[in-house]
Amino acid sequence: MRLVIARCSVDYTGRLNAHLPLATRLLVHKGDGSLLVHSDGGSYKPLNWMSPPCSLAPEEPGEEESIAGVTEVWRVTHKKTGDALRVQIYEILHDSNHDLGVDPGLQKDGVEADLQRLLAEQVERISEGATLVRREYPTAIGPVDLLVRDAEGAAIAVEIKRRGDIDGVEQLTRYLELLGRDPHLTPVQGVFAAQEIKPQARVLAEDRGIRCLVLDYDDMKGIESGIPRLF
């Protein structure tokens, strides 16, 4: 990644035209070819940018540009659309290159794997007196997140999502159909668990006899969520 602080002006041409007049800005030229133009304000969002696939090519400034004080010109062109970002550099105040290596990516807290682990440890949230049979209980079309038995020994299949929508209900319905063919499990109840369940998904689930369970992730971790409670 190359970081350049420069006095520059920027022109964008393509589906729209935009101009940034002369000012001191941060130019970020990333390893994927993209260029981002930042100011000292505006939070994280760049003033202008060119996303990959694109390429940067230096140009000699024109005669009028040289007279005006332009020392070099960058042209960044998008390979598919032909849109172009042209940066006129008057003075470079800082120029450095940095090898950041391979980034492992953003690791989100509260993903479905975390919810599954916590709910497996707290199966009483599903049904009082329930016991865990297995996480990732196999079926012919893939594993259902949790299989538990309630206090009377009845089987309950639980599908867990961060945001519950109709597709998740359909998925659980297919699991229930297959699990219901096992004489050791039938009849199998269904529980659709999520941090947020969309109204349409709730209607479909209840119409199919599937119980909905809203998960409070902070509460499951033992952290106050800030949601008002009666007790």
Side-chain angles (χ1 to χ4, degrees), residues 34-156:
S34 60
L35 181 73
L36 297 88
V37 182
H38 283 276
S39 67
D40 200 24
S43 186
Y44 67 92
K45 189 176 181 180
L47 298 171
N48 215 325
W49 67 93
M50 183 68 73
S51 301
C54 60
S55 59
L56 186 153
E59 292 183 353
E60 289 293 328
E63 183 177 350
E64 291 185 3
E65 291 175 321
S66 296
I67 294 173
V70 176
T71 58
E72 57 182 290
V73 175
W74 296 357
R75 178 179 288 275
V76 186
T77 307
H78 196 277
K79 294 181 179 179
K80 292 184 177 180
T81 65
D83 289 12
L85 196 66
R86 193 170 186 272
V87 183
Q88 297 174 305
I89 297 176
Y90 290 75
E91 180 184 7
I92 290 180
L93 306 176
H94 171 86
D95 191 349
S96 62
N97 288 276
H98 306 271
D99 185 359
L100 303 186
V102 178
D103 191 281
L106 179 65
Q107 298 179 351
K108 296 182 179 179
D109 193 20
V111 297
E112 290 171 15
D114 296 324
L115 292 169
Q116 183 191 119
R117 174 181 55 80
L118 288 169
L119 193 56
E121 296 169 355
Q122 303 170 34
V123 289
E124 69 277 1
R125 293 178 181 269
I126 301 169
S127 177
E128 186 175 355
T131 56
L132 176 68
V133 176
R134 178 173 171 177
R135 292 173 59 182
E136 301 287 342
Y137 191 89
T139 76
I141 58 172
V144 65
D145 289 327
L146 299 180
L147 184 69
V148 306
R149 289 192 181 273
D150 65 15
E152 285 72 42
I156 304 174

Side-chain angles (χ1 to χ4, degrees), residues 1-4 26-30 34-38 74:
M1 179 182 292
R2 184 182 179 188
L3 304 177
V4 175
L26 169 64
L27 307 175
V28 180
H29 186 216
K30 298 171 65 175
S34 60
L35 181 73
L36 297 88
V37 182
H38 283 276
W74 296 357

Side-chain angles (χ1 to χ4, degrees), residues 175-189:
Y175 289 147
L176 290 171
E177 182 180 351
L178 290 171
L179 293 170
R181 299 175 187 175
D182 186 336
H184 298 97
L185 299 177
T186 191
V188 186
Q189 303 172 41

Side-chain angles (χ1 to χ4, degrees), residues 147-169:
L147 184 69
V148 306
R149 289 192 181 273
D150 65 15
E152 285 72 42
I156 304 174
V158 185
E159 186 62 24
I160 302 168
K161 302 292 183 184
R162 290 186 67 240
R163 292 181 176 83
D165 56 20
I166 288 177
D167 288 344
V169 177

